């Protein structure tokens, strides 16, 4: 999750350049922050992780074997404290969900909640998302990839850390099934414009927005409204959703 919205200068919009290798090796789109662990979060990591947790060392997954069935598959990158992802998994038991998050408190919280609700359609990585996509997920294996409220890195000198870069969205495309959906959301208008610009230049995607709202779409009912987002709405902050389908 990013910080509450602040006005960003116009100079923060737009990718660095059409030919820039915008997701560079060794440059992370996140910063690991230390945080106190509650008893429930510790329980999730210690007791539930062995059943629902995955690592890079587990290698490339056969998702039908992993979940024991053939079902629609949704991957969410950066699920924060996990409330939205747990709600989706509970509301849609017919769908299998994979979450990626690097921060231990959020992973622990999600695992604890998933266990308490008896969810069997959810698995979790505590790894770098790029590495998971490259090493663990087969091509054309996902119906949907969700990227909600990633860190906007608003300072221009930090734009190289933004996860939405041409190389990243191409990797996402290869992991989506043809017709699969890449759903992005942000509460920073400058980052929304960056996302739209990167996606407009990305081959093999089609924006699903209606002409009167393009490039954005109204918040879909299936995307849970988080406490973070609800608070922002009360303060008058905007939220921008973008949805693209893999066209080839």
């Amino acid at each position: 999750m990013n910080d509450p919205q602040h006005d960003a200068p116009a100079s923060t919009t737009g990718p660095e350049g059409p030919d820039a290798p915008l997701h560079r090796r060794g440059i992370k789109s996140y910063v690991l922050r230390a945080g106190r662990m509650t008893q429930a979060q510790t329980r999730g990591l210690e007791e539930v992780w062995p059943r629902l947790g995955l690592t890079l060392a587990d290698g490339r997954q056969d998702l039908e074997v992993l979940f024991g069935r053939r079902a629609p598959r949704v991957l969410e990158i950066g699920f924060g404290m996990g409330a939205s992802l747990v709600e989706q998994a509970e509301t849609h038991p017919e769908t299998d969900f994979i979450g990626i998050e690097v921060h231990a408190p959020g992973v622990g919280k999600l695992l604890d909640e998933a266990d308490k609700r008896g969810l069997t359609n959810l698995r979790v990585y505590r790894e770098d998302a790029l590495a998971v996509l490259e090493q663990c997920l087969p091509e054309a294996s996902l119906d949907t990839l969700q990227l909600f409220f990633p860190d906007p890195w608003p300072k221009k000198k930090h734009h190289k850390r933004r996860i939405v870069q041409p190389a990243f969205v191409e990797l996402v495309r290869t992991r989506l099934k043809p017709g699969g959906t890449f759903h992005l959301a942000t509460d920073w208008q400058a980052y929304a414009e960056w996302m739209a610009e990167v996606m407009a230049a990305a081959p093999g995607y089609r924006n699903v927005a209606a002409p009167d709202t393009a490039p954005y779409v109204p918040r879909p009912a299936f995307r849970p409204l988080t406490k973070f987002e609800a608070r922002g709405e009360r303060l008058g902050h905007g939220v921008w959703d973008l949805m693209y389908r893999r066209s080839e």
Side-chain angles (χ1 to χ4, degrees):
M1 289 290 181
N2 56 326
D3 295 327
Q5 177 179 333
H6 300 283
D7 291 334
S11 62
T12 64
T13 61
E16 296 177 22
D19 299 320
L22 291 172
H23 200 291
R24 296 171 175 81
R25 298 282 181 178
I27 296 179
K28 302 295 186 184
S29 62
Y30 57 87
V31 173
L32 283 173
R33 302 175 182 89
R36 292 184 177 180
M37 298 285 293
T38 66
Q39 185 175 357
Q41 292 165 356
T42 300
R43 173 187 172 273
L45 288 174
E46 292 180 352
E47 299 181 17
V48 187
W49 175 268
R51 180 162 49 88
L52 300 183
L54 296 166
T55 69
L56 296 179
D58 295 322
R60 194 168 301 279
Q61 296 290 333
D62 182 326
L63 299 184
E64 290 186 17
V65 172
L66 178 65
F67 288 99
R69 65 177 181 174
R70 178 176 297 179
R73 304 182 193 113
V74 176
L75 173 73
E76 181 165 333
I77 294 175
F79 56 73
M81 298 306 290
S84 172
L85 186 55
V86 165
E87 181 178 339
Q88 290 179 77
E90 186 173 42
T91 304
H92 301 284
E94 76 288 351
T95 299
D96 293 329
F97 292 84
I98 300 172
I100 305 174
E101 176 59 62
V102 295
H103 300 290
V107 174
K109 175 67 173 176
L110 178 137
L111 290 170
D112 180 64
E113 284 294 323
D115 183 62
K116 288 177 178 176
R117 302 184 192 200
L119 302 181
T120 60
N121 61 332
L122 179 61
R123 299 292 185 274
V124 181
Y125 282 96
R126 188 184 169 198
E127 304 277 6
D128 181 274
L130 180 62
V132 172
L133 289 172
E134 289 179 331
Q135 301 174 35
C136 303
L137 297 179
E139 293 189 7
S141 61
L142 302 173
D143 294 271
T144 301
L145 192 144
Q146 300 175 165
L147 180 67
F148 298 156
F149 306 102
D151 194 322
W153 294 102
K155 295 181 179 179
K156 190 171 184 179
K157 67 180 180 179
H158 292 152
H159 284 184
K160 60 183 175 290
R161 292 186 177 273
R162 289 176 168 177
I163 191 171
V164 179
Q165 310 282 1
F168 171 74
V169 301
E170 170 58 18
L171 178 59
V172 168
R173 187 189 68 82
T174 66
R175 268 47 185 174
L176 289 171
K177 297 177 181 178
T181 301
F182 184 20
H183 182 186
L184 310 92
T186 180
D187 64 336
W188 283 74
Q189 183 175 2
Y191 198 16
E193 293 167 358
W194 169 289
M195 291 173 169
E197 188 172 342
V198 171
M199 293 302 300
Y205 282 102
R206 178 175 61 86
N207 191 324
V208 305
D212 59 331
T213 65
Y216 309 111
V217 298
R219 183 182 72 85
F222 59 78
R223 180 170 73 74
L225 184 67
T226 65
K227 292 180 181 179
F228 169 85
E229 185 178 353
R231 183 176 68 248
E233 286 189 350
R234 290 194 298 271
L235 294 172
H237 298 169
V239 172
W240 292 265
D241 282 76
L242 302 97
M243 296 182 69
Y244 299 83
R245 291 219 171 93
R246 177 180 172 177
S247 58
E248 56 184 63

